[in-house]
Amino acid sequence: MTTHVDGYLRHIMGVCSADSSGAVADYIPELACVDPDGYGLSMCVHDGNVYSQGDSGVTFTIQSISKPLTYALVLSRLGPAQVDARIGVEPSGEAFNEISVDAERRPRNPMINAGAIMAASLLLPPVREVAASTVDSVFGELVEFYSGCAGRYLELDEDVYRSEAQTGARNRAIAYMLDSFGVVDTDPESALDLYYRQCSLRVTTDDLSVIGATIANGGLNPRTGRQIMTQEVAQRVLSVMTTCGMYDGAGDWVTSVGLPAKSGVGGGILAVLPGQLGIGVYSPRLDRHGNSVRGIDTCRHLSTDLGLHMFNLTRESRVTIRATYDIGEFEVGEDWTERERSYLRTSRDRVRVYELQGDLTFSGAEAAMRRLEDDIDRYDVAIVDISRIGIVDPVARTMVLTFKHTLDDRGQRGMVVDPDGVMRASVDRHRNDRVIPDIVAPEALRGFDPTLPHVHATMAEALTDAEAFLLKQRYGPDDGFDGV
Ligand code: GLU
């Protein structure tokens, strides 16, 4: 509740849901029978905590979002040199199902169908006749790998799979064209079969967010603790998602959103903030490129409103809680009466200090405020010491100050120690920015006042303020400070 991340996500969805343009994919009947208004959003942060909103539990077929995963699997199996010899890494600038190869007759990249079918072919044995049972067992390994990324066993949508296989004339054309170039070592039908099956796996936005967080985390699934792919493979996958993930609009996508991403015609989008988090969005109405209309808009808002562009600031990503302790180590203030001092001596554990460090961006603030929220019954006063923080970006500032107001409203107290005035500098620097309007207004707007009470220049001042608060709580406003 109090970190308001769910509130931010809901707000962004509220803004984006106004747009009902686009059309549900209908090249096979199974895709057309979904609820066109379905809309889900999930975010999995670096420690595996998942924020889920809307239809985050609804399943849909993964479709082209499978492409980076199969590419990852093939890289893990064969290593980059062998894979590079067969699949390029250059953006094609063309539609996903373009029959597009380079001068060496390699598909231009693994995110277009030609490259994805090639990647699937590389998982199969290099023989022209592949037994059905072999395709089954390779598919089993593929499902294992995808499920490892999602942290949950993924299932095949049999109906979608059958329809894909029956209607896949264009994909068949791509596979046979590659075969005619002599670059496919296996049976093209088996490669197609594997590709159709991978596209027909069912996922939710929660799954996509965990898959994204796994890739963001260098291949380590933050929920299960299992290393699913190596750091090198994850880096590769992020690179091709950045340059080739969003089809023809890659340049615009990187510039305006700045999150490596992959979309699928099932309506899903997977987006990753490297080192930090994974995002899954679902909304089945597609634009003319085959990307979810609301999904794209949602990613744009997440990037701008939450400052998630991968080139935002010089970030130290795993900021933040350097230490947390109660104030037992600090001497009780000299200026109180003996009665007050003896009370203060018994209540040192009701004041907790949280020392943050690094650049405070969305992810850092999310982690820190979640910690403060988890501890909320352990203190009456929380002192957030940001003296080691270099930069505070607007959304992080809003989160810290909103949390502070939440504490005030609960009858607790939030204080900030900010000797270098980074909060104030942040207010000045971003004075004219559009910072998540309305999300937690009007309380949050109080957070933009740089002359905020309880923002202190030193820890000593904060401690005195904290002690005054405890005394007021204990003895009331009229009876606490005169030694009576
Ligand atoms: N199964 C679809 C195809 O290969 C996937 C397309 C997509 O999601 O972009 O045509």
Side-chain angles (χ1 to χ4, degrees), residues 261-333:
K262 185 74 202 82
S263 68
V265 294
I269 297 186
L270 161 72
V272 183
L273 180 54
Q276 300 192 36
L277 50 87
I279 294 162
V281 198
Y282 165 69
S283 172
R285 288 203 194 88
L286 310 178
D287 64 16
R288 64 193 169 83
H289 301 296
N291 295 322
S292 164
V293 175
R294 284 180 186 162
I296 295 250
D297 206 24
T298 306
C299 290
R300 282 187 198 282
H301 274 277
L302 287 167
S303 171
T304 349
D305 296 352
L306 304 187
L308 299 188
H309 194 292
M310 62 179 160
F311 300 136
N312 174 21
L313 311 173
T314 51
R315 55 175 88 235
E316 230 185 273
S317 58
R318 296 284 165 83
V319 206
T320 29
I321 299 184
R322 183 176 179 270
T324 166
Y325 45 85
D326 65 31
I327 58 166
E329 297 292 299
F330 295 92
E331 283 299 311
V332 175

Side-chain angles (χ1 to χ4, degrees), residues 27-28 31 61-67 96-97 111 113 117 160 164 168 170-171 195-196 199-200 247 262-267 289-291:
Y27 68 93
I28 52 173
L31 288 184
T61 50
I62 190 169
Q63 297 292 350
S64 281
I65 305 169
S66 64
K67 291 168 177 172
F96 68 96
N97 57 2
M111 300 295 125
N113 286 17
I117 295 169
V160 170
E164 292 277 357
R170 193 175 178 96
N171 285 325
Y195 173 69
Y196 295 139
C199 287
S200 307
Y247 305 127
K262 185 74 202 82
S263 68
V265 294
H289 301 296
N291 295 322

Side-chain angles (χ1 to χ4, degrees), residues 414-472:
M415 294 178 188
V416 178
V417 176
D418 182 15
D420 303 321
V422 292
M423 279 280 184
R424 171 181 222 115
S426 163
V427 173
D428 291 343
R429 196 172 42 243
H430 298 284
R431 194 173 291 287
N432 299 319
D433 284 6
R434 190 179 70 85
V435 181
I436 326 178
D438 309 329
I439 287 183
V440 274
E443 302 83 60
L445 293 177
R446 289 193 268 152
F448 295 113
D449 175 4
T451 57
L452 206 67
H454 314 300
V455 175
H456 295 289
T458 63
M459 182 58 87
E461 271 178 30
L463 288 175
T464 306
D465 194 11
E467 289 180 343
F469 178 79
L470 291 179
L471 292 174
K472 196 157 129 196

Side-chain angles (χ1 to χ4, degrees), residues 134-150:
T134 307
V135 183
D136 287 347
S137 79
V138 171
F139 180 62
E141 290 163 33
L142 182 147
V143 173
E144 193 71 25
F145 182 77
Y146 284 34
S147 301
C149 295

Side-chain angles (χ1 to χ4, degrees), residues 8-62:
Y8 294 179
L9 300 184
R10 267 200 302 277
H11 172 78
I12 287 171
M13 289 179 79
V15 171
C16 299
S17 62
D19 188 349
S20 52
S21 63
V24 171
D26 58 0
Y27 68 93
I28 52 173
E30 287 72 14
L31 288 184
C33 63
V34 296
D35 171 10
D37 285 320
Y39 188 17
L41 173 59
S42 308
M43 175 187 279
C44 179
V45 296
H46 76 274
D47 62 358
N49 189 55
V50 177
Y51 293 94
S52 312
Q53 286 299 324
D55 297 321
S56 55
V58 168
T59 59
F60 52 93
T61 50
I62 190 169

Side-chain angles (χ1 to χ4, degrees), residues 379-382 407-408 411-415 454 465 469 472:
Y379 54 74
D380 294 312
V381 181
L407 288 181
D408 292 349
Q412 291 160 283
R413 170 106 336 137
M415 294 178 188
H454 314 300
D465 194 11
F469 178 79
K472 196 157 129 196

